[in-house]
Amino acid sequence: MRAFERTGDLYSRAAAVRGGILRVRVMYWLAVVLALGDAAALRWIDPQPFARVRLVAFDTLQQLQPRKVDPTYPVRIVDIDERSLAAIGAWPWSREILARLVEQLFALGAKVVAFDFVLPHTEPDVLSALPRAMRDTPDMQSLLRTLQALPSGDQRLAQAVSGKPVVLGVIGRHGASDPTIVSRAGFALLGADPARHAPFLPAVTGNTPKLQEAALGLGALNWFPEHDQVVRKVPMLMRLGGDLAPSLVAEIMRLSAGTATIAVRSSTASGETPFVRETGITSVRIGKHLVATDHAGQMWLAFTARDAGRFRSAVDLLEGRVPRGDIADRIVLIGATAPGLFDLRATPLDTVVAGVEIHAQAIEQIIAGSVLHRPDLSTGVEVVFTTLAGLLLAILVRRSGPVSGAIMGAATLTVVAATAWWVRARFGYLLDPTYPALTLTAVYIFCTGFFYFHTTRERNQVRWAFSHYMAPSIVEELARRPDKLRLG
């Protein structure tokens, strides 16, 4: 009878241990699934901390492998630098000087000329600068009539610009708008209306009416930097007031390609994605150039280190010291690098870069076809991969212990980082290595903590249940491998 009681007690203890082990395993996998599900939900919501860490990773990849400078320099910058200001005078320069710059550039064979600034105010004429007493002097009347017959500064620049591939800048802003700026570009829309996703500013400041009418191209100069004021993208189009308008970069490429239309493709266009879901703009085509964009129509920038070969000083151009070979068949931007003119920006590679150089680098990328892109499916691929890798890591920690899990986790993170670097270098795709890294690290920490806590608890429970019934060596073997316990 006593033997039966001992056997019954042994069976009840074994059943209790097995039940406890089963409950722990259910809790373990439930917690792992919930953790991975929460991580996936957070990735889709994409709170600011996630986005900021991802941008740091993209910056790091760019710093590890910056874009190489094209030695042919398809884009030149006529630089309003400190040397030019010292030689010619303080900014703003007269329209006459700007007209001479434009004429000299086209005389040297420039393909397209663009102004990386706006000229919103009419230049005072010569007579308004003369004292009234001089203007009323009878002896001066003949000279004054001669001066009055001369074209104004705006007329002079408009004549230099008229009929030539010149792009003038406009600026979108908040507040009351100038008279409507009519875009010179037409838009062919494929899919959903891009105006719902393009950056919007309700007002616009343009150039003086004479200049505005003379220009063949008008492009928006606006930037939309990230939270840290670092420029990583440049818009290809915007909504200014109620109308779509090209950016300066897009308008320059339109005139360079000799086309009247910019084609904008959205996610719902035929053949764009396997799922008909409106996520925004996917690409912009200008002539033969296809530019992949984010949902807002902005192009990711791959920067080169600053290169002096892009620049030619404005004073050297005006004084005839720039050879034709430096300008012929190139796109030329007129802009400022002088610090006092406040056109300085930060990029992932440099803390101080002139805004005109960022535009130049964007145009170089489009010409070379080396535009960076983050496809719509990237987030889904990252979530699926991370979820599967997280489950595999949880299995390995549970079965083989934390050391094997750490080796597998480290190998996975290495593969993730190497893949992100390779696809960016090879295909120009931006994949996020931070989400898998953070999620898998969190899963490993959780699984390891759970493993140690509940493994210790299971072993103590086994020792308590069987130490009075079995040899110590068998009890320790069961404590190490509770799954060996079989009723009967």
Side-chain angles (χ1 to χ4, degrees), residues 58 61-62 232-233 265 272-273 279-284 290-302 365 369-379 382 420 423-432:
F58 290 163
L61 291 173
Q62 186 149 192
R232 298 179 177 90
K233 304 175 188 177
R265 178 179 284 271
E272 182 60 35
T273 60
T279 57
I281 302 166
T282 60
S283 65
V284 171
L290 180 64
V291 182
T293 69
D294 69 1
H295 72 282
Q298 297 194 89
M299 179 183 86
W300 285 91
L301 294 171
Q365 278 183 253
S370 59
V371 177
L372 295 179
H373 181 38
R374 181 163 168 79
D376 281 346
L377 295 177
S378 298
T379 300
E382 291 158 3
V423 297
R424 182 192 180 281
R426 181 68 178 83
F427 303 105
Y429 290 160
L430 291 170
L431 294 182
D432 176 19

Side-chain angles (χ1 to χ4, degrees), residues 75-78 80 101-102 105-106 110-117 161 164-169 217-219 221 247-249 251-253 255 330-336 356 359 363:
V75 182
R76 293 286 190 195
I77 298 171
V78 172
I80 303 170
L101 279 176
V102 172
L105 286 170
F106 283 114
K111 188 175 184 180
V112 177
V113 173
F115 287 75
D116 193 45
F117 48 84
V161 166
K164 298 183 179 68
V166 175
V167 181
L168 299 183
L218 299 173
L221 298 173
S247 67
L248 185 76
V249 169
E251 189 73 335
I252 289 170
M253 294 307 303
L255 289 189
R330 289 179 170 86
I331 293 169
V332 181
L333 304 179
I334 302 174
V356 65
H359 279 137
I363 296 167

Side-chain angles (χ1 to χ4, degrees), residues 182-456:
V182 179
S183 172
R184 303 292 188 266
F187 288 93
L189 308 182
L190 307 174
D193 184 2
R196 294 203 290 266
H197 303 279
F200 169 70
L201 287 169
V204 59
T205 295
N207 302 274
T208 63
K210 283 187 176 64
L211 299 178
Q212 205 85 357
E213 293 168 8
L216 293 181
L218 299 173
L221 298 173
N222 296 82
W223 306 96
F224 299 94
E226 306 291 345
H227 67 283
D228 52 6
Q229 297 305 302
V230 173
V231 177
R232 298 179 177 90
K233 304 175 188 177
V234 63
M236 296 302 291
L237 69 159
M238 294 177 56
R239 186 157 62 95
L240 300 180
D243 302 319
L244 282 178
S247 67
L248 185 76
V249 169
E251 189 73 335
I252 289 170
M253 294 307 303
R254 184 183 71 82
L255 289 189
S256 176
T259 182
T261 305
I262 297 173
V264 183
R265 178 179 284 271
S266 297
S267 57
T268 55
S270 175
E272 182 60 35
T273 60
F275 307 103
V276 180
R277 183 170 66 91
E278 183 177 346
T279 57
I281 302 166
T282 60
S283 65
V284 171
R285 180 177 286 280
I286 307 172
K288 67 178 182 180
H289 301 290
L290 180 64
V291 182
T293 69
D294 69 1
H295 72 282
Q298 297 194 89
M299 179 183 86
W300 285 91
L301 294 171
F303 289 97
T304 70
R306 190 181 188 280
D307 190 274
R310 292 190 181 97
F311 295 83
R312 294 296 180 268
S313 179
V315 66
D316 289 341
L317 183 73
L318 289 170
E319 295 180 0
R321 294 194 292 268
V322 177
R324 181 181 179 83
D326 281 0
I327 302 298
D329 297 322
R330 289 179 170 86
I331 293 169
V332 181
L333 304 179
I334 302 174
T337 64
L341 300 185
F342 303 106
D343 188 29
L344 300 177
R345 303 287 186 270
T347 74
L349 298 188
D350 295 285
T351 55
V352 178
V353 174
V356 65
E357 185 176 359
I358 296 175
H359 279 137
Q361 293 211 34
I363 296 167
E364 288 175 355
Q365 278 183 253
I366 296 174
I367 293 172
S370 59
V371 177
L372 295 179
H373 181 38
R374 181 163 168 79
D376 281 346
L377 295 177
S378 298
T379 300
V381 170
E382 291 158 3
V383 168
V384 171
F385 169 80
T386 303
T387 302
L388 294 177
L391 290 173
L392 182 60
L393 179 62
I395 292 172
L396 199 59
V397 170
R398 179 70 187 174
R399 291 190 174 181
S400 303
V403 175
S404 297
I407 294 171
M408 183 267 189
T412 303
L413 297 185
T414 301
V415 169
V416 166
T419 301
W421 177 84
W422 182 75
V423 297
R424 182 192 180 281
R426 181 68 178 83
F427 303 105
Y429 290 160
L430 291 170
L431 294 182
D432 176 19
T434 62
Y435 166 67
L438 293 174
T439 301
L440 295 180
T441 300
V443 167
Y444 174 77
I445 292 172
F446 165 77
C447 291
T448 302
F450 196 101
F451 177 86
Y452 276 121
F453 176 77
H454 285 284
T455 297
T456 302

